[in-house]
Amino acid sequence: MLTGKQKRFLRSKAHHLVPIFQVGKGGVNDNMIRQIADALEARELLKISVLQNCEEDKEMVAEKLSRGADAELVQIIGNTIVLYKESRENKQLILPQ
């Protein structure tokens, strides 16, 4: 579980990132979760864009993705979801205590 200080730190790091995944009409599926988990292992922090034609609620999409990829939900802002997962091999971010 992330503290408020850690979430603020991650939000500041994520501000400059470009969303690399989009959730559209098809919603969340196993293949997407697997790809996001792999991307989180490589990058630790990423943005996901929820398109307007997505039939699911963005909070539900965020919950499914974070649970499926075993990641922490940092933020939902507008139609953008920010996820964080500490990498086992490519550790890049050092979280504040």
Side-chain angles (χ1 to χ4, degrees):
M1 197 70 191
L2 295 172
T3 64
K5 189 175 186 180
Q6 291 169 333
K7 283 187 179 184
R8 271 194 313 276
F9 172 77
L10 290 171
R11 282 197 304 261
S12 72
K13 292 293 184 189
H15 178 74
H16 303 291
L17 296 178
V18 176
I20 59 170
F21 287 99
Q22 293 181 333
V23 180
K25 191 173 184 178
V28 179
N29 56 41
D30 291 339
N31 187 36
M32 178 183 286
I33 290 173
R34 198 168 27 259
Q35 288 179 350
I36 287 174
D38 291 344
L40 280 167
E41 177 60 36
R43 298 174 181 231
E44 290 189 312
L45 186 67
L46 48 92
K47 279 185 177 178
I48 300 154
S49 180
V50 180
L51 301 178
Q52 293 199 349
N53 66 353
C54 183
E55 296 165 354
E56 296 179 49
D57 188 32
K58 60 188 171 194
E59 284 82 14
M60 194 64 183
V61 170
E63 184 184 329
K64 283 183 180 179
L65 291 176
S66 62
R67 202 171 343 109
D70 195 28
E72 293 280 346
L73 176 63
V74 177
Q75 171 180 43
I76 301 173
I77 186 161
N79 287 330
T80 305
I81 300 167
V82 179
L83 293 178
Y84 169 78
K85 183 178 180 184
E86 187 176 334
S87 176
R88 292 187 201 102
E89 297 162 15
N90 298 339
K91 188 134 179 67
Q92 299 165 356
L93 297 173
I94 285 101
L95 295 179
Q97 297 299 325

